[in-house]
């Protein structure tokens, strides 16, 4: 009994210190994550006039002709990715490679029938900034800067807070659902804050654990490698070898360099091979040419069977041969989990109800932080008041 009474104050101290240090980071990461929860749906609503086109009797342009017309009309640079849809009324979404100064031009929606520019995506820049805030806290260097490990440390700190918080709040009547899940609204002040803090933590604890355990995937390489080792049914396969890119003839010849950058790798054979393989079993497909040279194009195909499920192919642009095919339906359970880490992280694996639930849990984090801070301040004030009479007695004596 004495040991238990000594452990709980130590856990409370650890819980409080971790909360004070991490509270601002947790609130920022949670709120930015909540904003990103329905990014796809918000973007679709904002860009409804750009993402759909009028159906026509003429066939849609093949990728090479579409890109050639676009570059001839706009002088667009090198294509980073091309997203095509099975729906004949859907626009083509084109992303561009980074400029020499590492900035990335805004992407475009393009009419698949005549390569007419439909406009830039509304909200793209906003969500890109929020994503950087969520992942890297807007610190310099993005994924290569300090934001990535700081986010991982914050995530591990939240795990410690959840564990210590569960131990600290363990009620005498642990079997009572009401004690665990319902705040005591009859309380006021510190008692109400404690009840809200404990109940919010109980409601959201499992969701927070899922968020943290999947979020660490992007924070630490050792964590990701460990998850792959634990869940994958086979050792990671080496990427198909790409031919070495040709060196530029002369660094000073900037005009030739720009022309070479603007020239796109032929994609017609890639698209034909993909359509022959997938048929009607896809909604959208993203073609991503290699960034550093070579002819192997990565094709990600989102399935029509389930939201978020995707297959991945490597197709040789020169021959149209499918070099590798990574089919979601053929994966064992562990590999399916690894393939959908992002969907699990944001609750999308449960559809829109899951995303809504995870968004509400993220929005509750600031309230969790505020009640924890109020509890800490009231506890400090209480400690000062209990020590004051002792000090007065010593002075009077």
């Amino acid at each position: 009994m004495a040991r238990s009474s000594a452990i709980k104050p130590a856990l409370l101290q650890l819980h409080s210190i971790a909360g004070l240090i991490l509270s601002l980071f947790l609130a920022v990461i949670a709120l930015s994550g909540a904003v990103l929860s329905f990014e796809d749906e918000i973007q679709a609503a904002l860009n409804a006039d750009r993402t759909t086109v009028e159906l026509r009797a003429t066939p849609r342009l093949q990728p090479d002709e579409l890109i050639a017309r676009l570059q001839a009309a706009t002088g667009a640079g090198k294509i980073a990715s091309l997203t095509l849809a099975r729906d004949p009324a859907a626009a083509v979404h084109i992303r561009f490679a980074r400029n020499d100064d590492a900035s990335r031009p805004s992407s475009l929606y393009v009419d698949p029938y005549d390569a007419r520019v439909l406009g830039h995506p509304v909200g793209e820049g906003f969500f890109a900034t929020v994503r950087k805030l969520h992942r890297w806290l807007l610190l310099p260097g993005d994924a290569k800067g300090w934001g990535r490990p700081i986010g991982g440390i914050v995530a591990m700190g939240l795990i410690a807070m959840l564990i210590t918080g569960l131990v600290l709040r363990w009620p005498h009547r642990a079997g009572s659902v009401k004690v665990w899940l319902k705040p005591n609204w009859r309380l006021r002040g510190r008692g109400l804050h404690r009840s809200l803090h404990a109940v919010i933590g109980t409601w959201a604890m499992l969701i927070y654990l899922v968020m943290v355990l999947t979020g660490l995937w992007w924070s630490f390489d050792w964590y990701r490698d460990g998850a792959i080792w634990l869940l994958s049914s086979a050792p990671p396969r080496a990427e198909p070898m790409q031919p070495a890119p040709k060196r530029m003839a002369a660094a000073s010849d900037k005009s030739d360099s720009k022309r070479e950058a603007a020239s796109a790798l032929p994609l017609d054979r890639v698209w034909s091979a993909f359509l022959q393989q997938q048929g009607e079993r896809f909604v959208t497909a993203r073609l991503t040419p290699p960034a550093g040279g070579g002819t192997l194009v990565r094709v990600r195909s989102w399935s029509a069977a389930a939201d978020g499920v995707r297959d991945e192919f490597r197709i040789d642009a020169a021959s149209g041969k499918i070099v590798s095919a990574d089919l979601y339906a053929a994966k064992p359970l562990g590999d399916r989990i690894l393939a959908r880490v992002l969907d699990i992280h944001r609750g999308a694996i449960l559809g829109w109800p899951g995303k809504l639930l995870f968004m509400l849990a993220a929005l509750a984090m600031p309230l969790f932080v505020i009640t924890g801070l109020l509890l800490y301040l009231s506890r400090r004030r209480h400690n000062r008041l209990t020590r004051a009479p002792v000090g007065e007695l010593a002075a009077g004596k």
Side-chain angles (χ1 to χ4, degrees), residues 224-248:
R224 182 171 58 252
D225 293 341
I228 293 172
W229 173 83
L230 181 65
L231 296 173
S232 180
S233 60
R237 295 178 299 175
E239 289 289 327
M241 292 295 292
Q242 294 274 9
K246 296 179 180 179
R247 294 182 176 272
M248 297 292 183

Side-chain angles (χ1 to χ4, degrees), residues 7-337:
I7 290 176
K8 281 207 169 185
L11 290 178
L12 179 60
Q13 191 74 0
L14 174 63
H15 188 84
S16 301
I17 293 173
L20 288 172
I21 295 173
L22 303 179
S23 58
L24 179 60
F25 294 105
L26 288 172
V28 168
I29 293 172
L31 287 177
S32 58
V35 172
L36 294 170
S37 295
F38 286 92
E39 177 187 359
D40 295 339
E41 291 79 0
I42 294 172
Q43 288 273 53
L46 291 175
N47 296 283
D49 60 333
R50 295 170 171 82
T51 56
T52 57
V53 298
E54 184 181 354
L55 288 175
R56 302 170 209 174
T58 58
R60 289 177 286 180
L61 299 175
Q62 289 295 304
D64 291 343
E65 185 177 357
L66 186 143
I67 292 172
R69 288 193 187 186
L70 175 66
Q71 291 179 332
T74 65
K78 185 178 180 181
I79 305 298
S81 70
L82 185 76
T83 302
L84 304 163
R86 183 165 58 92
D87 183 359
V92 177
H93 189 201
I94 296 180
R95 297 181 185 275
F96 299 98
R98 293 187 182 277
N99 298 319
D100 293 337
D101 60 358
S103 63
R104 188 186 293 276
S106 180
S107 63
L108 288 174
Y109 287 115
V110 178
D111 191 314
Y113 293 96
D114 57 13
R116 179 173 55 92
V117 174
L118 302 175
H120 299 287
V122 176
E124 181 181 53
F126 168 76
F127 282 109
T129 301
V130 174
R131 193 175 299 106
K132 287 184 178 182
L133 176 63
H134 182 70
R135 292 179 176 179
W136 310 307
L137 302 170
L138 292 180
L139 294 177
D142 292 343
K144 297 180 180 179
W146 284 100
R148 183 171 176 243
I150 288 175
I153 293 171
V154 171
M156 291 191 293
L158 180 57
I159 294 176
M161 291 174 63
L162 291 173
I163 294 173
T164 55
L166 180 63
V167 174
L168 289 169
R169 83 141 303 186
W170 196 270
H172 296 294
R173 292 182 294 126
S176 172
V177 176
K178 183 178 179 180
V179 171
W180 282 101
L181 302 180
K182 183 181 177 181
N184 189 345
W185 298 109
R186 293 174 298 178
L187 298 174
R188 293 292 180 270
R190 183 181 177 189
L192 179 60
H193 298 156
R194 182 186 295 109
S195 179
L196 287 173
H197 190 77
V199 170
I200 293 170
T202 302
W203 277 100
M205 182 175 66
L206 182 59
I207 296 176
Y208 288 156
L209 277 174
V210 172
M211 289 178 175
V212 167
L213 293 175
T214 52
L216 287 170
W217 172 276
W218 293 279
S219 295
F220 300 113
D221 293 337
W222 58 264
Y223 184 90
R224 182 171 58 252
D225 293 341
I228 293 172
W229 173 83
L230 181 65
L231 296 173
S232 180
S233 60
R237 295 178 299 175
E239 289 289 327
M241 292 295 292
Q242 294 274 9
K246 296 179 180 179
R247 294 182 176 272
M248 297 292 183
S252 60
D253 195 349
K254 294 184 179 179
S255 60
D256 290 345
S257 175
K258 288 181 179 178
R259 282 196 296 271
E260 183 172 346
S263 63
L265 188 70
L267 298 176
D268 284 356
R269 288 193 180 95
V270 173
W271 183 236
S272 297
F274 168 77
L275 290 177
Q276 186 176 1
Q277 170 70 25
Q278 287 292 82
E280 301 294 313
R281 296 188 301 273
F282 78 102
V283 175
T284 57
R286 180 179 300 159
L287 283 62
T288 305
T295 60
L296 292 185
V297 177
R298 182 178 69 180
V299 182
R300 285 184 172 178
S301 164
W302 281 264
S303 172
D307 183 33
V309 172
R310 72 168 187 258
D311 299 327
E312 188 164 323
F313 304 88
R314 292 292 193 278
I315 302 177
D316 189 344
S319 63
K321 178 183 177 182
I322 298 178
V323 177
S324 66
D326 191 11
L327 305 179
Y328 182 84
K331 294 176 183 288
L333 177 60
D335 292 292
R336 291 189 180 192
I337 294 173

